[in-house]
């Protein structure tokens, strides 16, 4: 059994019991304390991983406890594993802190196999039928954006030169799109139930990836520790369960099979159909639905919200690019109607700008951990069955072998000589291969409509006299911008500064 470990990729020497957990894979709170004492800066895992790639090459090993982890860096290594060896590298590991909560059901953390395939196919098709990729979701997104615009106008007057924190406004609009599609329900942005649910989700994620609760991955019994974050984690899980179960029960009680309202209705209909057909081993159960709803909320909110925030922050930091985007929109859309998805093909610079911010900021920088489902030879090394494989998407987007001046913000890199958008294989903010993001089309729709609608209506500037926020961001499950505020002013038709 141990012979397969003889030829694993190189990497730093692990310590007994904890492996390489010390230093950079520990949560931020401990890293900060450790950093203060040692004078070592608080590195993000992405930065720490990049440092290791310089020492050990594009494919290297780490250990968390006794668990072998192989990190893939750069375009070639990531593409080779996920696109050329999908049968081996599409599984998900059993991570104790996550498995305790997801029971390895749903889609995101479900093992690769027939159950995952059926559930993913059903959800993907259903979301598409409800408007994903079609125009019917557009009014729902635009309705949310109308609220964001009204609130932004009010808040910008109220806050003046101090600027506005965009996070709650964008977060609410994005969460409401998911709520509409899955639960058929929009919440008022000040609804206490909605806020309680959002706070629970954010807190749950924060605890799982950025608190001492990550130690559950090495010592699973810590989950039952009756104090501190461990106790809080169990409470968050209980509260989320109550909210989602209540919502599913309400759907079952009011279900009209001829008029499904949302994904939950469609799932219940599919489930009843399979039961009626006598499909005894069907994975379509109310229990499974519960985990799918949780997955889609978690996968679809933080990611899209942070991507929009990054784009608006970059616009405030690069006023010349902001004006270029607005000029293109003025020419194509004008100021008298809201932008629509049909404008997408006619706004190449705007699209290139969105993509360039996604390239530099990478909302899910380390993707979601994959796992080798069998022992395999990869790039001259042995990757044993059960190895956790981390595709470092951040390193792909900074790979100097595929990007010129990889660290420079330059939307024009996505345009050809005629100024038309050119797709690049090495651009992969949604991952690649069998586990590629299931919400890619929805996310692209949301990003495009949100960014164009807000840039058509407003100019975003950093508050004068305040230092700009660091562009390293905050590393959690997703890479979020550091807290920032922006001054927002309405673009009026005759405004001189807007017609530059
Ligand atoms: C997985 C990125 C929005 C649903 C992923 C992965 C990435 C990603 C990198 C992991 C791929 C891998 O494991 O190799 C993003 C970004 C988004 C976004 C950058 C927004 C800008 C969404 C939305 C939804 C969604 C809106 C759904 C409503 C999922 C699901 C998975 C996933 C279900 C798991 C797929 C599987 O394991 O089969 N996403 N995502 N995502 N995403 Fe997204």
């Amino acid at each position: 059994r141990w012979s397969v470990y003889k030829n694993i990729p190189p990497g730093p020497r692990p310590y007994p019991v904890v492996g390489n957990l010390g230093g950079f894979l520990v949560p931020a709170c401990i890293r900060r304390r450790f950093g203060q004492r040692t004078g070592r800066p608080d590195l993000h895992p992405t930065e720490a991983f990049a440092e290791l790639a310089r020492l050990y090459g594009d494919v290297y090993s780490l250990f968390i406890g006794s668990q072998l982890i192989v990190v893939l860096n750069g375009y070639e290594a990531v593409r080779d594993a996920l696109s050329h060896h999908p049968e081996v590298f599409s599984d998900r590991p059993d991570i104790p802190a996550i498995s305790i909560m997801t029971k390895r059901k749903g889609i995101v953390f479900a093992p690769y196999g027939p159950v995952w395939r059926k559930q993913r196919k059903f959800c993907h098709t259903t979301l598409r039928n409800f408007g994903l990729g079609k125009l019917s979701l557009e009014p729902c997104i635009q309705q949310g954006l109308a609220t964001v615009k009204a609130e932004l106008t009010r808040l910008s007057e109220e806050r003046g030169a101090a600027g506005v924190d965009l996070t709650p406004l964008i977060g609410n609009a994005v969460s409401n799109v998911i709520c509409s599609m899955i639960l058929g329900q929009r919440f008022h942005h000040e609804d206490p139930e909605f806020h309680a649910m959002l706070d629970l989700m954010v807190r749950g994620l924060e605890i799982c990836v950025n608190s001492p609760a990550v130690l559950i991955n090495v010592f699973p019994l810590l989950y039952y520790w009756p104090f501190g974050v461990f106790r809080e984690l169990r409470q968050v899980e209980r509260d989320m369960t109550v909210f989602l179960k209540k919502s599913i029960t309400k759907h079952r009680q009011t279900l009209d099979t001829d008029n499904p309202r949302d994904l939950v209705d469609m799932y219940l209909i599919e489930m009843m159909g399979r039961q009626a057909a006598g499909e005894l081993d069907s994975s379509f159960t109310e229990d499974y639905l519960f985990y799918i709803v949780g997955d889609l909320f978690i996968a679809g909110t933080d990611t899209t919200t942070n991507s929009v925030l990054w784009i608006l922050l970059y616009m405030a930091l690069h006023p010349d690019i902001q004006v270029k985007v607005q000029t293109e929109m003025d020419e194509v859309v004008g100021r008298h109607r809201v932008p629509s998805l049909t404008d997408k093909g006619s706004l190449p610079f705007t699209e290139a700008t969105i993509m360039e911010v996604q390239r530099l900021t990478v909302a899910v920088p380390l993707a979601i951990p994959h796992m080798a489902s069998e022992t395999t030879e990869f790039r001259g090394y042995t990757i044993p069955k059960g190895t956790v494989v981390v595709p470092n998407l951040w390193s792909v987007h900074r790979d100097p072998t595929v990007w010129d001046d990889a660290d420079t913000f330059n939307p024009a890199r996505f345009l050809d000589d005629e100024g038309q958008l050119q797709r690049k294989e090495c651009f992969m903010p949604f991952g690649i291969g069998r586990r590629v993001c299931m919400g890619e089309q929805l996310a692209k729709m949301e990003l495009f409509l949100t960014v164009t609608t807000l840039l058509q209506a407003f100019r975003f500037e950093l508050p004068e006299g305040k230092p700009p926020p660091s562009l390293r961001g905050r590393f959690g499950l997703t890479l979020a911008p550091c807290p920032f505020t922006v001054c927002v002013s309405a673009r009026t038709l005759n405004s001189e500064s807007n017609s530059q």
Side-chain angles (χ1 to χ4, degrees):
R1 181 169 171 246
W2 295 107
S3 62
V4 290
Y5 284 85
K6 272 193 192 146
N7 185 35
I8 60 171
R13 188 189 288 263
Y15 294 103
V17 187
V18 292
N20 305 105
L21 192 68
F24 44 88
L25 286 178
V26 290
C29 54
I30 301 179
R31 271 201 320 267
R32 265 193 298 275
R33 227 168 275 170
F34 176 77
Q36 275 159 13
R37 241 187 285 142
T38 58
R40 198 164 166 257
D42 173 23
L43 289 182
H44 286 161
T46 43
E47 291 162 342
F49 282 178
E51 244 182 44
L52 288 175
R54 273 190 285 279
L55 289 173
Y56 299 103
D58 283 345
V59 183
Y60 58 79
S61 301
L62 294 170
F63 281 88
I64 292 190
S66 59
Q67 173 64 58
L68 172 62
I69 297 178
V70 167
V71 184
L72 307 173
N73 296 274
Y75 173 56
E76 294 246 327
V78 170
R79 186 200 49 182
D80 221 9
L82 304 191
S83 283
H84 298 164
H85 297 82
E87 281 304 327
V88 182
F89 292 119
S90 297
D91 211 348
R92 294 282 192 219
D94 181 355
I95 302 172
I98 291 172
S99 299
I100 284 169
M101 284 188 292
T102 63
K103 311 286 182 288
R104 308 204 77 203
K105 294 180 179 172
I107 295 170
V108 181
F109 286 101
Y112 181 64
V115 173
W116 162 82
R117 200 171 287 117
K118 267 191 219 166
Q119 298 285 337
R120 179 174 162 129
K121 191 170 171 213
F122 172 81
C123 291
H124 202 193
T125 316
T126 306
L127 290 185
R128 189 180 290 130
N129 289 345
F130 269 106
L132 208 118
K134 293 195 182 162
L135 299 186
S136 55
L137 196 62
E138 203 172 342
C140 165
I141 299 177
Q142 280 164 342
Q143 192 187 335
L145 289 172
T147 312
V148 174
K149 281 203 291 187
E151 274 295 289
L152 258 186
T153 308
R154 184 183 71 76
L155 284 172
S156 57
E157 278 164 20
E158 202 175 286
R159 308 274 159 86
V164 180
D165 173 9
L166 301 170
T167 315
L169 283 178
I170 303 294
N172 285 351
V174 168
S175 308
N176 253 329
V177 172
I178 300 278
C179 271
S180 306
M181 284 197 325
I182 299 173
L183 303 177
Q185 204 177 351
R186 286 191 76 83
F187 292 91
H188 187 268
H189 64 279
E190 280 169 357
D191 186 311
E193 192 188 7
F194 184 50
H195 273 282
M197 183 197 67
L198 293 186
D199 290 348
L200 270 180
M201 260 171 28
V202 171
R203 186 62 193 140
L205 280 178
E206 209 171 278
I207 296 176
C208 280
V209 297
N210 224 349
S211 84
V214 290
L215 292 173
I216 292 173
N217 294 318
V218 185
F219 309 108
L221 286 178
L222 274 178
Y223 173 75
Y224 302 99
W225 187 251
F227 307 107
V229 284
F230 302 99
R231 184 180 146 159
E232 193 186 347
L233 181 64
R234 290 199 306 278
Q235 188 56 46
V236 167
E237 201 191 332
R238 271 195 294 273
D239 293 346
M240 277 294 279
T241 308
V242 169
F243 175 84
L244 292 181
K245 289 237 151 109
K246 200 170 99 187
S247 190
I248 293 174
T249 308
K250 209 161 133 197
H251 271 74
R252 190 170 11 85
Q253 286 163 349
T254 56
L255 180 67
D256 172 358
T257 47
D258 294 327
N259 293 301
R261 297 157 289 189
D262 48 42
L263 181 124
V264 171
D265 275 1
M266 294 289 281
Y267 196 98
L268 290 173
I269 293 169
E270 178 78 13
M271 188 182 92
M272 290 180 332
R274 284 173 186 256
Q275 277 165 4
E279 207 179 299
L280 295 176
D281 61 348
S282 170
S283 58
F284 284 78
T285 59
E286 244 180 70
D287 183 42
Y288 220 99
L289 170 60
F290 165 78
Y291 292 102
I292 284 184
V293 172
D295 264 8
L296 295 183
F297 265 105
I298 289 178
T301 46
D302 219 30
T303 45
T304 315
T305 302
N306 285 330
S307 302
V308 172
L309 291 174
W310 275 118
I311 295 167
L312 295 177
L313 174 60
Y314 265 77
M315 291 302 90
L317 285 164
H318 297 271
D320 52 330
I321 302 290
Q322 184 177 170
V323 168
K324 258 183 116 167
V325 170
Q326 287 165 332
T327 306
E328 184 182 62
M329 283 193 346
D330 285 349
E331 281 165 16
V332 174
V333 184
R335 305 266 186 103
H336 298 290
R337 66 169 176 89
V338 287
S340 126
L341 289 175
T342 51
D343 296 315
K344 221 167 178 246
S346 318
L347 294 169
F349 189 77
T350 307
E351 276 233 71
T353 303
I354 294 174
M355 288 161 79
E356 177 66 346
V357 178
Q358 280 192 291
R359 181 186 74 83
L360 279 174
T361 56
V362 204
V364 194
L366 301 176
I368 297 168
H370 289 235
M371 186 181 79
S373 48
E374 58 192 69
T375 300
T376 191
E377 292 300 310
F378 179 71
R379 302 192 134 216
Y381 301 113
T382 305
I383 313 283
K385 177 179 176 174
T387 301
V388 173
V389 176
V390 176
N392 186 349
L393 301 181
W394 188 86
S395 73
V396 175
H397 284 184
R398 304 279 178 142
D399 184 343
T401 65
V402 286
W403 304 101
D404 291 333
D405 283 334
D407 293 334
T408 308
F409 177 59
N410 173 21
R413 70 173 79 241
F414 285 102
L415 300 175
D416 63 16
D417 293 343
E418 269 87 56
Q420 290 310 305
L421 199 68
Q422 49 176 350
R423 310 262 160 215
K424 289 180 186 274
E425 267 192 21
C426 45
F427 174 67
M428 49 177 85
F430 299 97
I432 47 165
R434 306 258 161 98
R435 289 285 190 162
V436 68
C437 174
M438 201 190 78
E440 180 172 353
Q441 282 84 353
L442 169 64
K444 283 181 177 166
M445 260 168 90
E446 287 192 89
L447 291 187
F448 177 79
L449 288 174
T450 310
V451 169
T452 51
T453 304
L454 295 183
L455 285 178
Q456 181 195 43
F458 302 108
R459 198 151 33 110
F460 294 87
E461 287 164 303
L462 290 174
E464 249 176 65
K466 247 188 172 179
S470 153
L471 288 179
R472 292 174 65 223
R474 282 177 300 147
F475 190 89
L477 192 68
T478 60
L479 188 65
C482 296
F484 68 97
T485 61
V486 276
C487 295
V488 184
S489 48
R491 296 179 70 227
T492 53
L493 270 176
N494 302 322
S495 144
E496 205 187 314
S497 49
N498 286 320
S499 54
Q500 301 161 32

